[in-house]
Amino acid sequence: MADNKEIIPRHYDLDAKWDACLDLTVRRFVYSSFAGAFGGLLLFRSPQTRWASIAFGAGVGIGSAYTECSRLFDGPPTKLALPKGSDAPIQ
């Protein structure tokens, strides 16, 4: 018997993209938080600066995951054209 199940191309499979994005976000958040905690433990004495170090690491992880996920969903960013300047000399 033939299978009537459609095969969805990877380019259009949103479930796979969301799974990959969620996995990437959690991993980068955890790893960068641990890196911030380790750096804060080595570099800072007060608890406030250590927590700030952890928060900074978590923010970097979430930001990089967001960038990668937006690239995964939308495709690579297009190159922006430089604005055309006038040929008049600057005085």
Side-chain angles (χ1 to χ4, degrees):
M1 292 241 172
D3 235 0
N4 290 342
K5 191 175 184 183
E6 288 184 41
I7 298 176
I8 300 172
R10 251 184 116 180
H11 181 69
Y12 297 112
D13 192 9
L14 286 178
D15 289 338
K17 287 181 182 181
W18 276 108
D19 287 342
C21 188
L22 184 63
D23 179 56
L24 182 72
T25 302
V26 169
R27 277 192 290 124
R28 287 195 180 175
F29 174 77
V30 170
Y31 292 156
S32 60
S33 295
F34 282 147
F38 183 70
L41 191 64
L42 289 178
L43 299 174
F44 303 120
R45 290 181 138 186
S46 83
Q48 290 86 10
T49 52
R50 287 181 179 171
W51 279 109
S53 167
I54 294 169
F56 179 74
V60 167
I62 288 177
S64 67
Y66 175 78
T67 303
E68 192 68 29
C69 287
S70 67
R71 186 173 296 134
L72 179 68
F73 279 104
D74 298 334
T78 58
K79 282 191 171 182
L80 297 176
L82 294 174
K84 299 282 184 187
S86 65
D87 293 334
I90 298 174
Q91 296 182 11

